[in-house]
Amino acid sequence: MATTEEEKPKLLPTKIWKCKNAECKAWVREEFAESEQSCPICKGPMHRSMRHLPAVQNKIKRQPKKPKSEFDI
């Protein structure tokens, strides 16, 4: 089954954090990385890099509104 250009997602240059360990293949998008940059798999050091990835839509899950209580002041 052949794919057309319309079916392929558009790839954008994306900043990532990549594990420095050659045997470890872990990486994470910069926007999802924790403040402490250690590998989530091997706990080794990580460094910044770039990768062409599809865009991610960050949808914020809204908290359900609490019903107003007649006892709230």
Side-chain angles (χ1 to χ4, degrees), residues 2 4 24 26 36 44 56 63 67 71:
T4 64
C24 184
E36 184 181 319
V56 174
Q63 295 287 334
F71 299 110

Side-chain angles (χ1 to χ4, degrees), residues 1-27:
M1 182 151 107
T3 59
T4 64
E5 288 294 320
E6 293 175 11
E7 294 175 5
K8 293 182 182 178
K10 184 177 178 182
L11 301 179
L12 303 172
T14 307
K15 294 178 185 177
I16 65 167
W17 285 92
K18 183 177 170 183
C19 185
K20 286 186 178 181
N21 185 352
E23 286 90 39
C24 184
K25 304 293 183 193
W27 61 271

Side-chain angles (χ1 to χ4, degrees), residues 7-58:
E7 294 175 5
K8 293 182 182 178
K10 184 177 178 182
L11 301 179
L12 303 172
T14 307
K15 294 178 185 177
I16 65 167
W17 285 92
K18 183 177 170 183
C19 185
K20 286 186 178 181
N21 185 352
E23 286 90 39
C24 184
K25 304 293 183 193
W27 61 271
V28 63
R29 289 176 187 254
E30 186 176 66
E31 60 198 77
F32 299 122
E34 295 181 10
S35 58
E36 184 181 319
Q37 295 345 2
S38 61
C39 178
I41 296 175
C42 72
K43 307 300 181 207
M46 298 184 82
H47 67 277
R48 283 183 157 179
S49 186
M50 294 287 286
R51 192 173 272 196
H52 285 81
L53 301 169
V56 174
Q57 291 186 6
N58 297 331

